Amino acid sequence: MPQPDISANDPDFAADPYAYYARLRARGPVHRVGVSAPEFAPALLVVGYEEAREALAHPGLAKDWKTGAVLRGVEANAANSNLLETDPPQHTRLRRLVAREFTTRRVQALRPRVQQITDELLDAMAARPERSADLIEAFAFPLPITVIGELLGVPAPDRERFRHWSREVLAPTSVPARTAHLRLADYLAELVAAKAEDPGEDLLSALVRTRDEDGDALSSAELIGMAFLLLIAGHETTVNLISNGTRALLAHPDQLADLRADPDGLLDGAIEEMLRYDGPVQNSTYRYAREDLEIGGTAVPAGATVLVSLAGAGRDPARYEEPDAFDVRRAPQGHLAFGHGIHFCIGAPLARMEGRIAFRSLLERFPDLAEDPAAGPPEWIGGSLIRGVTRLPVRW
């Protein structure tokens, strides 16, 4: 079977990557694939569920590309000093410091404000005389960017500019990803400096002030790196949780009817099913083999790069019965949409809380919500990291 470059904008792959992963999985759980950047070769893609769990927690697969000179010719900057690009003991230290302030209590305290933002956005949608909108522009984007922006203390006028940079980092269209990365890092350096000079009640100010029992604190570079990760991961994934979940519901009217009939009983499980069925992160970021090792019976040579397909794992029939069916009554516990192991998404509680409020409010407010039949075919986000569409025209 031809193996497309999964990092390129192949329209057939973008429209249905699940069929491609299924064909690969039928031949085995781990495969060599093409990638557009030569510094990432050889690259291996893990598509089986059990093998994906193994790879996500494998101590022989590193996340820190800076120490091993894996990416020759690529210079690190402050934004790279984050949880996703470090390994123990540095990762352990960073996570401990961040967890002191990014707590469940802080997330739950946001609930009334998340509901308020949601209601205001849906009010604006309902006031449209044309009774139609791009759900991403009107709701799925402004909700999480406002929430994470307020949580971290990003000034409102900067959020649209930030959105452009973060999208270019994840799926470049107009500038190289590294250029967008550097511009965003420069902006965040200014923001961190401003918080150090004049702290507020936001999370970034709290991270500037936080100290461990032994006096350890986050450096300026680490603060920039954490702000970079939390801002991008804290909004882009939730945008696509809302839009992908809405697309799944509208494409399965029987499931939508079940959820409307019993939101109290089904909503939490429905969101987990959305994450399994068509989650916002299609493949993990790269891991790097420190040594020769084996995953799923496949040899992984030292120096190889490994991609874990969260999307492929979520549709593995060895784990889930009828994996290609969308079922809001399913119990999809153990899905890998938020990762697994030490790099499990620290923002998962915030994403779940936003998802619950967003879907309950959207479905209550617009009982006849439907995709706009005049909208044309979907336009997919490029690349193989983020799974989603650039527009979601709906009507009611």
Side-chain angles (χ1 to χ4, degrees):
M1 180 184 70
Q3 294 185 350
D5 179 349
I6 65 168
S7 60
N9 296 327
D10 182 322
D12 293 333
F13 175 76
D16 186 12
Y18 299 102
Y20 169 68
Y21 296 137
R23 290 194 298 271
L24 276 183
R25 199 169 45 241
R27 296 164 50 202
V30 184
H31 298 269
R32 182 170 295 207
V33 293
V35 290
S36 58
E39 62 266 28
F40 289 123
L44 293 133
L45 181 70
V46 183
V47 292
Y49 176 87
E50 290 298 337
E51 294 77 16
R53 276 179 60 94
E54 178 187 1
L56 289 170
H58 201 299
L61 293 176
K63 292 292 293 176
D64 190 348
W65 54 270
K66 304 179 291 297
T67 56
V70 178
L71 303 185
R72 292 174 176 81
V74 179
E75 291 188 13
N77 60 59
N80 298 117
S81 300
N82 62 66
L83 287 172
L84 195 59
E85 298 177 78
T86 54
D87 301 306
Q90 177 68 347
H91 175 274
T92 310
R93 171 182 164 269
L94 288 177
R95 189 152 189 143
R96 183 179 66 248
L97 286 166
V98 173
R100 293 177 71 89
E101 296 296 339
F102 193 23
T103 61
T104 300
R105 185 175 183 178
R106 184 184 285 270
V107 169
Q108 290 305 313
L110 289 171
R111 183 179 292 275
R113 178 59 179 147
V114 173
Q115 186 66 65
Q116 180 185 7
I117 297 166
T118 297
D119 292 341
E120 291 171 355
L121 292 170
L122 296 181
D123 284 346
M125 277 180 59
R128 290 172 176 253
E130 65 272 31
R131 299 175 64 82
S132 64
D134 174 1
L135 190 70
I136 293 177
E137 285 296 323
F139 184 56
F141 166 70
L143 173 59
I145 194 64
T146 304
V147 171
I148 198 67
E150 291 185 0
L151 176 65
L152 287 172
V154 177
D158 294 347
R159 290 172 197 161
E160 186 60 40
R161 182 170 46 143
F162 164 76
R163 178 200 191 183
H164 170 73
W165 286 336
S166 66
R167 176 58 57 85
E168 293 300 320
V169 168
L170 296 173
T173 60
S174 61
V175 298
R178 204 66 189 164
T179 300
H181 197 285
L182 291 170
R183 289 177 182 171
L184 189 50
D186 289 343
Y187 168 75
L188 292 173
E190 296 175 5
L191 183 63
V192 167
K195 298 297 180 186
E197 183 73 21
D198 184 20
E201 297 303 315
D202 54 86
L203 174 60
L204 189 53
S205 295
L207 291 175
V208 170
R209 296 188 299 262
T210 193
R211 295 287 187 277
D212 209 342
E213 287 80 0
D214 58 3
D216 188 18
L218 296 167
S219 68
S220 294
E222 290 163 350
L223 286 163
I224 293 166
M226 289 310 308
F228 177 86
L229 179 61
L230 292 171
L231 278 166
I232 289 185
H235 95 274
E236 190 69 38
T237 52
T238 308
V239 171
N240 293 292
L241 165 59
I242 295 171
S243 60
N244 290 357
T246 301
R247 286 192 304 107
L249 288 171
L250 296 181
H252 298 84
D254 57 331
Q255 299 299 307
L256 177 55
D258 285 351
L259 180 57
R260 287 190 188 280
D262 184 15
D264 291 336
L266 295 179
L267 182 58
D268 286 359
I271 290 171
E272 301 307 312
E273 175 68 346
M274 294 169 194
L275 289 162
R276 178 205 70 85
Y277 177 78
D278 198 16
V281 182
Q282 184 177 168
N283 295 296
S284 70
T285 52
Y286 287 98
R287 283 163 166 76
Y288 312 96
R290 308 174 194 264
E291 59 205 21
D292 292 343
L293 52 92
E294 185 178 288
I295 295 174
T298 300
V300 180
T305 54
V306 174
L307 278 171
V308 180
S309 178
L310 309 181
R315 300 282 189 102
D316 188 345
R319 171 69 182 187
Y320 298 107
E321 187 176 349
E322 298 185 51
D324 293 323
F326 178 68
D327 181 2
V328 298
R329 297 180 183 277
R330 187 193 298 272
Q333 287 91 344
H335 68 71
L336 302 177
F338 289 120
H340 175 63
I342 64 170
H343 289 286
F344 184 84
C345 177
I346 197 170
L350 177 60
R352 285 181 164 122
M353 184 262 282
E354 288 185 72
R356 291 183 191 110
I357 291 174
F359 282 106
R360 178 182 286 273
S361 302
L362 179 67
L363 298 182
E364 287 178 353
R365 194 66 176 274
F366 299 101
D368 57 347
L369 189 74
E371 287 200 60
D372 189 338
E379 300 172 6
W380 301 98
I381 296 171
S384 64
L385 176 61
I386 297 297
R387 171 69 178 165
V389 292
T390 60
R391 298 170 57 251
L392 182 54
V394 295
R395 60 188 299 177
W396 57 90

